[in-house]
Amino acid sequence: MKKVVVGLSGGVDSAVSAYLLKKQGFEVIGLFMRNWDSAANNDILGNPSLDDDICPQEQDYQDALKVANHLGIKLYRHDFIKEYWDYVFSYFIEEYKKNRTPNPDILCNKYVKFAGFQEVAKSLGADYFAYGHYARVREENSEFFLLKGKDNNKDQSYFLSQLSQEQLSKSLFPVGELEKKEVRKIALENDLPTAKKKDSTGICFIGERDFKNFLKNYIFSKPGEIHTLNGEVLGHHDGLMYYTIGQRKGLNIGGDNRFKNAPWFVVGKDIENNRLLVGQGLNNPYLFSNRVIVEDINWISKERFVGTLECSAKFRYRQEDQVCLIRWIDKGLIEVVTNKPVRAVTPGQACVFYNGEICLGGGTIKEVYQNQKKLMY
């Protein structure tokens, strides 16, 4: 009997994954990952103001334990706090210091939920590793392909774009073949303890805290002026790091009689002069780009394409696929030219490439252009 170690998070998706694998005849073992320790990191920072109970991992563990007991499987618990701090949280903070908008979930998958998790799972004798992600893996001629999940609204292949052939070769995604409503139905029909539990949202180490107040504990902020693209001062910002391209809420600059009554959006950052640049209108032309440079590329396929490749790309999660032409600039750098302008492409975010339902890989958005003009992102 093949042994599979399932990442039991305390949610419904991982619970159903464990149930399905047991039903398929695997020997199933649960592994709960503890990735964040607010109290320990407060001690490091000498900052007692961060609450220890905001990220309810203990409750998640208790829920995972209930699921394991219900299914009659063993549950192990392992701390990945150091790995999370070194590879995810530190990167998150450094990116914000550069006034970029990072996506920590992708790095968490690459370094913690897969690399770290699989090492521990191997010590438990695992033949395979399973997760509650909405994605699929297909093997053809000894090559492994990462596919989108069947549920388009829940597809998580975007967050798995940094995985390797080796990681995919032993990874199972049981709910990837299902829609979310089917997962809930299976959980309810089998009385799984987390059947009605709400999906988790947001980043664990921020939780329900105010985002600005959280970052202030780690990064020195430098307030400055908010400018229109014509140089007119509209107000003041709390620090460029707090804002992202396309942002509307939290600017506090409405009601100025000099301008028409239309919403304002962040359209750029003048880092040299510490100015936040804004423009009016959802379709402000300065929010659109058609050429992007992507760095730190992970190409999932064994073979890299030669010359140019027509494919599609997502520049943020849940975005519709954008038809584009890509080419290698060098080993870790790709130029992306889209068929039509794309709104609010943001440095620091992930750009992920697709060929239909196949995820080809991805990287981090480095620079954004309107044709040859580099935007102040």
Side-chain angles (χ1 to χ4, degrees):
M1 183 183 295
K2 294 291 186 180
K3 183 182 292 186
V4 57
V5 174
V6 182
L8 277 184
S9 65
V12 65
D13 297 325
S14 62
V16 170
S17 295
Y19 164 78
L20 291 173
L21 290 166
K22 186 176 181 184
K23 187 178 179 182
Q24 291 169 18
F26 287 98
E27 179 186 350
V28 179
I29 294 174
L31 177 59
F32 180 84
M33 308 176 69
R34 184 167 176 259
N35 297 333
W36 182 253
D37 184 353
S38 297
N41 291 324
N42 292 346
D43 292 340
I44 293 171
L45 295 165
N47 189 343
S49 65
L50 297 179
D51 298 327
D52 186 31
D53 59 354
I54 299 254
C55 194
Q57 289 191 87
E58 187 56 38
Q59 181 59 56
D60 289 338
Y61 173 70
Q62 293 302 322
D63 290 339
L65 189 58
K66 290 176 184 176
V67 169
N69 291 335
H70 181 81
L71 295 176
I73 64 175
K74 291 182 180 180
L75 178 65
Y76 293 87
R77 177 173 178 164
H78 189 87
D79 282 355
F80 292 91
I81 294 170
K82 184 179 186 304
E83 291 89 342
Y84 198 88
W85 180 275
D86 290 345
Y87 295 112
V88 182
F89 184 71
S90 296
Y91 174 86
F92 176 86
I93 294 300
E94 288 304 312
E95 285 291 278
Y96 268 103
K97 287 180 179 178
K98 298 174 184 176
N99 290 301
R100 306 207 318 175
T101 305
N103 193 320
D105 291 333
I106 290 177
L107 289 180
C108 181
N109 281 324
K110 179 178 181 178
Y111 292 111
V112 184
K113 291 185 178 179
F114 284 79
F117 177 93
Q118 291 188 1
E119 286 302 311
V120 175
K122 286 177 184 177
S123 72
L124 297 175
D127 297 297
Y128 295 98
F129 321 102
Y131 308 87
H133 292 84
Y134 286 82
R136 295 173 291 150
V137 177
R138 184 173 71 204
E139 181 185 1
E140 291 182 9
N141 300 321
S142 299
E143 183 171 2
F144 295 87
F145 296 87
L146 175 64
L147 278 62
K148 294 179 179 179
K150 285 289 188 180
D151 190 332
N152 288 331
N153 291 322
K154 297 296 293 183
D155 168 47
Q156 293 173 298
S157 60
Y158 178 89
F159 298 112
L160 303 176
S161 57
Q162 288 290 315
L163 299 187
S164 67
Q165 283 284 310
E166 182 180 358
Q167 289 170 328
L168 289 173
S169 69
K170 297 294 184 180
S171 296
L172 304 176
F173 302 105
V175 300
E177 298 287 348
L178 304 172
E179 293 190 357
K180 183 71 178 193
K181 61 183 179 181
E182 295 177 286
V183 172
R184 289 284 184 191
K185 183 180 179 182
I186 291 171
L188 289 167
E189 289 176 346
N190 292 278
D191 298 320
L192 296 181
T194 56
K196 296 182 180 180
K197 186 176 180 179
K198 292 182 179 179
D199 292 342
S200 60
T201 58
I203 303 169
C204 180
F205 53 75
I206 294 178
E208 300 300 323
R209 276 172 285 201
D210 178 83
F211 183 69
K212 286 185 179 180
N213 287 336
F214 175 81
L215 282 184
K216 284 178 181 177
N217 289 286
Y218 298 89
I219 308 174
F220 173 76
S221 59
K222 184 180 179 182
E225 295 176 338
I226 300 177
H227 281 232
T228 68
L229 293 170
N230 293 326
E232 297 175 272
V233 180
L234 288 180
H236 294 81
H237 65 77
D238 298 323
L240 293 178
M241 64 184 178
Y242 299 128
Y243 305 87
T244 190
I245 303 304
Q247 180 176 330
R248 176 181 177 181
K249 295 182 178 180
L251 300 179
N252 300 317
I253 54 175
D256 194 316
N257 293 329
R258 293 176 295 169
F259 303 95
K260 60 183 179 180
N261 187 24
W264 291 93
F265 295 87
V266 175
V267 299
K269 298 180 181 183
D270 180 356
I271 296 174
E272 182 178 351
N273 296 301
N274 193 32
R275 293 171 180 171
L276 187 68
L277 306 178
V278 296
Q280 285 185 295
L282 181 66
N283 294 318
N284 189 293
Y286 285 93
L287 282 174
F288 289 82
S289 60
N290 62 355
R291 180 169 166 259
V292 181
I293 306 300
V294 183
E295 61 184 350
D296 299 328
I297 299 294
N298 176 63
W299 198 253
I300 295 175
S301 175
K302 286 184 175 181
E303 299 293 332
R304 294 190 173 208
F305 67 92
V306 178
T308 60
L309 175 67
E310 184 174 2
C311 60
S312 62
K314 288 184 186 294
F315 298 98
R316 60 181 178 275
Y317 182 49
R318 295 192 184 281
Q319 181 190 51
E320 290 186 5
D321 289 10
Q322 307 293 315
V323 177
C324 61
L325 197 67
I326 65 177
R327 71 174 182 90
W328 293 102
I329 297 176
D330 59 33
K331 186 176 181 180
L333 211 61
I334 278 181
E335 178 190 53
V336 185
V337 178
T338 58
N339 278 16
K340 60 181 181 180
V342 182
R343 187 180 186 276
V345 178
T346 306
Q349 286 285 290
C351 173
V352 178
F353 305 110
Y354 292 89
N355 179 10
E357 65 177 0
I358 299 174
C359 178
L360 301 172
T364 303
I365 298 167
K366 180 183 181 183
E367 297 170 351
V368 183
Y369 294 81
Q370 287 179 349
N371 299 318
Q372 298 302 315
K373 178 184 178 183
K374 183 179 177 181
L375 298 177
M376 299 180 72
Y377 285 14

